[in-house]
Amino acid sequence: MPPTRDAAASAGRTEPGGVPGAGAPSRGHRPGRRSVLAAVTALGAAGAAGCSGGGEASRGQRERAGAARRLRRTAVRESELLLARYDSTAAVHPALAGRLAPLRAEVARHLTAFDGDAGSGRRGRTPPRDGGHTAVPPDRRQALAALAAAERRTADARARALTDAPPELARLLASVAAAGAAHAYLLSERDA
């Protein structure tokens, strides 16, 4: 079928944008049913794909956010238990209170870092499972060794949690785990 006169005219015409044949179709030209049906089907398919993908993406985001909240809650509990252990050790061995104070202050800052931006604060929170009364060995060296072991266990647990944490929380966990390892070292020094 030879091209219509309108098609031939628009093929050679240059529009103001400099694109040949890009002008508005002639008055008598309308898109066919098949073209409209194809366009509606394509838009519908694209819209459906976008909706289902968005739902899966938002579900994944919710799951990741929930996992991050659980990791933070665990880190908060671990820090609370460490604080209780520091307090118990200082209560049983008052001569160690000065040596433990800077390390305890660091653990308190770690607790704030894990819990501070959640806005929940510490009021109304249930105390650690052991009620804050941690069995402290009567011997001073053993007490420091027990505290060092608690710091080491907590640092190891935080290092293991890195693989499941989102980037920002992973950086915080790594930093606090390194600090805990340093605390364990300082607590187990020979001059204790």
Side-chain angles (χ1 to χ4, degrees):
M1 180 164 136
T4 63
R5 193 171 134 222
D6 288 335
S10 70
R13 183 176 54 200
T14 301
E15 294 301 314
V19 179
S26 64
R27 264 188 208 168
H29 181 71
R30 292 187 301 190
R33 278 184 298 181
R34 287 186 181 157
S35 299
V36 170
L37 183 58
V40 168
T41 303
L43 286 173
C51 291
S52 67
E56 290 172 10
S58 64
R59 182 180 29 218
Q61 289 170 343
R62 284 191 306 270
E63 289 172 1
R64 285 189 298 277
R69 279 191 300 276
R70 285 188 298 278
L71 284 172
R72 277 188 182 274
R73 279 194 303 265
T74 298
V76 165
R77 275 193 312 272
E78 291 168 344
S79 293
E80 288 173 335
L81 289 170
L82 274 176
L83 282 176
R85 184 169 283 280
Y86 272 96
D87 292 342
S88 297
T89 302
V92 172
H93 299 284
L96 292 175
R99 179 176 177 184
L100 298 179
L103 301 177
R104 186 203 181 278
E106 284 283 320
V107 173
R109 281 193 288 277
H110 298 160
L111 175 60
T112 301
F114 286 122
D115 194 37
D117 63 340
S120 62
R122 293 184 38 92
R123 284 189 207 146
R125 186 183 305 284
T126 58
R129 282 185 209 162
D130 66 359
H133 303 290
T134 305
V136 177
D139 179 71
R140 182 180 150 207
R141 286 185 188 273
Q142 289 176 349
L144 288 173
L147 192 53
E151 281 277 14
R152 202 171 295 108
R153 277 190 309 274
T154 303
D156 290 346
R158 288 176 175 163
R160 282 189 303 274
L162 289 175
T163 58
D164 298 327
E168 179 183 343
L169 181 56
R171 285 188 291 274
L172 179 59
L173 284 167
S175 176
V176 173
H183 291 183
Y185 171 78
L186 292 171
L187 289 166
S188 60
E189 280 186 318
R190 281 260 182 225
D191 67 343

